[in-house]
């Protein structure tokens, strides 16, 4: 890495290398603002509405507070590691317990995750347009909006950046309008919205656990995702930045967006925001939905294309270029939309939650316990192939066992309690296994040989 291509470094985005120290120049405020892009998805409305109508408003509220705390803590740790090392989670995994090939498996799981969310978000959009123009069949809308995100991704991150910048103020104007209109719309439910309970449901117990189970599905993702941006954080902003980037987007997506979802859902007795935003704002609601869903889906397709590219390059030496993967991701998301994946929202989210929370837990326990406390393995992250083993049993075995047992628990084979807390159970198990395996293998599989060019400030120990 010479300085000769530093100027266009931002254009190549450091997709396949770590961010060099001299390029880590962004302040914590601007990164928090970028990470905010995730938080404006109407998907969080939908989660709030579905939980409130199915399991009662108060359970949905308690679960949201829990999600902010746990995802905020994980997000803070991961943001810190990412800022210290200049790497995102796909890279951190290589030197953080998975090895070179092992880490590409996590990026494959990550990619499928983004494609799935792309389909969820896309369907919200399809319902909104269909509610407003019932004449147009749903399949036409799916084809149109499914295809539109592909060209929006053609020119990479520069284009994404522009799209997010101009659309944020418009988003807030629409959001405030929707809140104002709903205040003046007579509520279907007569009591205070937070007292709403469906028949036969009580506060706490199984209903609360089911809400937490749904939240687990997205918490791992929101915690891991920040690392794509925090790797550009200025070294002097690391302490404040890690906490801000760890918590502020979580407070907004689970607290503000989730909370509004609970309020809208109960008052309008409708769980699909694609329907109720249009009922509130008419054509404005259709436009609002189109705007937010394109905002988030462009990001989903971008992230999945990067992860797929890295996976196929690592495992199959297949390198058709990022745009090829943009098309693959877009088409796969359309197939899922035709299969009406929204009807399987809770199942899908439970499984994703198991994988992603376990992965996040492995990265954090590898850093904080194995590397810092026990001083096993190197005190920094290495992502270059020539210094790494293909597999490191520490992360790979921990992820495999915890995801397998977590999935069995999620399917209900270990009783009700573990069925809903499967992701949390998998995460705790993953953290314990990481430490045990690191001690047994004595950190032998972290590095094949030691580089001598890692800056002392990049060390986390």
């Amino acid at each position: 890495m010479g300085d000769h291509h530093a100027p266009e470094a931002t254009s190549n985005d450091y997709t396949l290398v770590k961010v060099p120290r001299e390029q880590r120049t962004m302040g914590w405020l601007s990164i928090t603002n970028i990470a905010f892009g995730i938080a404006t998805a109407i998907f969080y409305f939908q989660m709030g509405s579905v939980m409130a109508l199915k399991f009662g408003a108060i359970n949905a509220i308690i679960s949201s507070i829990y999600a902010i705390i746990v995802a905020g803590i994980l997000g803070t740790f991961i943001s810190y590691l990412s800022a210290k090392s200049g790497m995102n989670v796909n890279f951190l995994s290589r030197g953080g317990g998975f090895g070179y090939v092992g880490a590409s498996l996590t990026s494959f799981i990550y990619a499928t995750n983004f494609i799935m969310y792309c389909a969820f978000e896309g369907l919200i959009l399809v319902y909104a347009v269909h509610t407003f123009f019932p004449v147009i069949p749903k399949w036409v809308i799916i084809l149109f909006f499914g295809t539109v995100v592909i060209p929006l991704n053609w020119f990479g991150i520069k284009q994404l950046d522009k799209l997010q910048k101009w659309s944020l103020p418009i988003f807030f104007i629409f959001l405030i309008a929707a809140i104002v209109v709903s205040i003046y719309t007579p509520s279907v439910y007569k009591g205070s919205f937070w007292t709403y309970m469906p028949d036969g449901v009580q506060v706490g117990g199984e209903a609360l656990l089911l809400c937490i189970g749904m939240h687990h599905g997205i918490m791992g993702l929101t915690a891991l995702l920040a690392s794509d941006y925090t790797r550009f954080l200025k070294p002097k902003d690391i302490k404040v930045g890690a906490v801000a980037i760890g918590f502020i987007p979580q407070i907004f997506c689970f607290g503000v967006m989730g909370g509004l979802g609970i309020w809208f859902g109960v008052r309008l007795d409708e769980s699909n925001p694609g329907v109720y935003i249009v009922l509130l704002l008419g054509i404005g609601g259709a436009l609002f939905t189109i705007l937010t869903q394109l905002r988030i889906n462009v990001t989903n397709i971008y992230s999945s294309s990067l992860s797929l590219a890295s996976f196929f390059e690592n495992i199959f030496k297949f390198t058709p270029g990022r745009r090829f993967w943009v098309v693959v991701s877009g088409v796969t998301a359309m197939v899922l939309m035709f299969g009406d994946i929204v009807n399987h929202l809770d199942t899908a989210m439970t499984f994703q939650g198991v994988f992603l929370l376990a992965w996040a837990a492995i990265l954090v326990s590898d850093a904080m316990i194995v590397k810092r406390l026990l001083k096993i393995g190197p005190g920094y992250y290495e992502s270059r192939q020539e210094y790494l083993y293909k597999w490191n049993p520490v992360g790979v075995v921990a992820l495999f066992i915890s995801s397998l047992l977590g999935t069995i628990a999620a399917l209900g084979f270990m009783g009700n309690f573990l069925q809903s807390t499967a992701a949390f159970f998998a995460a705790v198990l993953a953290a314990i296994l990481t430490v045990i395996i690191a001690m047994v293998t004595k950190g032998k599989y972290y590095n094949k040989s030691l580089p001598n060019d890692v800056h002392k400030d990049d060390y986390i120990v």
Side-chain angles (χ1 to χ4, degrees):
M1 291 289 303
D3 286 331
H4 58 275
H5 57 309
E8 74 260 6
T10 36
S11 67
N12 84 14
D13 236 16
Y14 302 105
T15 314
L16 296 170
V17 290
K18 75 172 186 175
V19 179
R21 295 193 67 78
E22 64 277 6
Q23 297 293 334
R24 299 180 210 163
T25 52
M26 294 180 73
W28 67 270
L29 261 174
S30 54
I31 293 189
T32 306
N33 181 40
I34 299 172
F36 221 67
I38 340 158
T40 56
I42 294 193
F43 179 74
Y44 296 106
F45 278 172
Q46 183 161 15
M47 275 181 69
S49 306
V50 167
M51 285 179 192
L53 291 172
K54 260 185 153 173
F55 308 119
I58 197 85
N59 287 324
I61 292 169
I62 297 169
S63 179
S64 302
I65 295 167
Y66 161 82
I68 291 170
I69 295 168
V70 176
I73 292 170
L74 278 177
T76 299
F77 275 119
I78 287 172
S79 295
Y80 171 78
L81 299 177
S82 158
K84 279 292 268 190
S85 62
M87 301 180 194
N88 69 1
V89 282
N90 286 323
F91 279 136
L92 285 173
S93 299
R94 293 181 181 184
F98 288 89
Y100 194 74
V101 177
S104 57
L105 296 181
T106 57
S107 49
F108 184 71
I109 296 168
Y110 205 38
T112 54
N113 197 57
F114 285 116
I115 292 172
M116 213 174 72
Y117 284 114
C118 184
F120 288 148
E121 308 283 1
L123 278 173
I124 295 178
L125 173 59
V126 170
Y127 280 109
V129 176
H130 185 72
T131 305
F132 203 76
F133 302 109
V135 202
I136 312 175
K138 283 192 185 126
W139 65 267
V140 176
I141 310 172
I142 291 179
L143 279 178
F144 177 73
F145 286 111
T147 315
V148 117
V149 288
I150 295 173
L152 283 174
N153 250 299
W154 216 243
F155 302 106
I157 199 82
K158 286 254 165 64
Q159 193 181 9
L160 300 192
D161 190 39
K162 286 199 181 75
L163 181 78
Q164 304 293 26
K165 273 204 182 84
W166 63 256
S167 56
L168 191 65
I170 309 175
F171 165 83
F172 276 113
I173 293 167
F174 274 126
L175 183 65
I176 291 162
I179 295 169
V180 171
V181 174
S182 80
I183 290 172
Y184 289 104
T185 306
S187 173
V188 176
Y189 174 67
K190 289 300 168 244
S192 306
F193 84 99
W194 53 272
T195 59
Y196 175 80
M197 272 289 169
D199 290 337
V201 175
Q202 62 270 31
V203 177
E206 199 168 334
L208 177 61
L209 286 178
L210 288 167
C211 286
I212 288 176
M214 276 184 77
H215 265 134
H216 279 157
I218 189 103
M219 281 158 56
L221 186 71
T222 52
L224 289 162
L225 202 88
S227 73
D228 284 336
Y229 316 110
T230 36
R231 58 203 179 116
F232 292 103
L233 188 64
K234 278 181 196 156
K236 70 173 186 56
D237 279 7
I238 287 181
K239 286 214 167 71
V240 181
V243 178
I245 298 155
F247 275 94
I248 294 172
Q250 318 286 0
I251 291 169
F252 192 82
C253 55
F254 298 120
V256 179
M257 296 293 281
L260 284 170
I262 296 171
W263 147 271
F264 287 141
V266 168
R267 289 181 58 96
L268 303 164
D269 193 28
E270 168 60 63
S271 65
N272 189 334
V275 176
Y276 61 65
I277 295 288
V278 175
L279 292 176
L280 289 171
L281 298 179
I283 183 90
L287 289 171
F288 176 51
T289 312
I290 291 171
L291 175 82
T292 57
Q293 301 322 89
L294 286 179
R295 262 175 74 91
I296 188 76
N297 266 351
V298 168
T299 330
N300 281 336
I301 294 281
Y302 181 72
S303 296
S304 70
S305 69
L306 291 184
S307 293
L308 284 175
S310 129
F311 172 76
F312 280 92
E313 179 229 8
N314 263 342
I315 305 275
F316 302 108
K317 303 286 173 268
F318 177 54
T319 52
R322 188 184 68 83
R323 288 174 180 172
F324 173 84
W325 296 116
V326 166
V327 176
V328 169
S329 305
V331 171
T332 313
M334 280 191 269
V335 171
L336 290 176
M337 287 194 246
F338 282 119
D340 215 14
I341 188 175
V342 152
N343 295 335
H344 311 285
L345 185 69
D346 34 4
T347 338
M349 292 200 47
T350 304
F351 292 128
Q352 293 297 352
V354 166
F355 275 125
L356 294 176
L357 272 184
W359 181 20
I362 290 169
L363 287 176
V364 172
S365 59
D366 168 77
M368 297 299 153
I369 302 173
V370 177
K371 285 180 166 61
R372 288 189 81 145
L373 277 179
L374 302 173
K375 306 275 186 278
I376 295 176
Y380 54 85
Y381 287 97
E382 182 50 73
S383 62
R384 293 165 295 185
Q385 203 166 357
E386 60 268 31
Y387 297 111
L388 295 168
Y389 285 99
K390 280 188 171 171
W391 300 94
N392 183 345
V394 173
V396 176
V397 176
L399 186 66
F400 180 74
I401 295 177
S402 60
S403 300
L404 182 70
L405 291 175
T407 303
I408 292 171
L411 289 171
F413 292 114
M414 298 185 184
N416 278 358
F417 180 71
L418 281 180
Q419 180 167 9
S420 307
T421 53
F424 195 77
F425 160 66
V428 173
L429 184 62
I432 295 168
L433 286 170
T434 302
V435 177
I436 294 172
I437 301 164
M439 288 166 79
V440 171
T441 57
K442 299 185 172 60
K444 177 174 173 319
Y445 299 98
Y446 279 91
N447 283 44
K448 223 169 21 183
S449 58
L450 298 175
N452 54 6
D453 59 354
V454 179
H455 193 288
K456 65 175 189 339
D457 290 346
D458 281 359
Y459 277 64
I460 58 158
V461 174

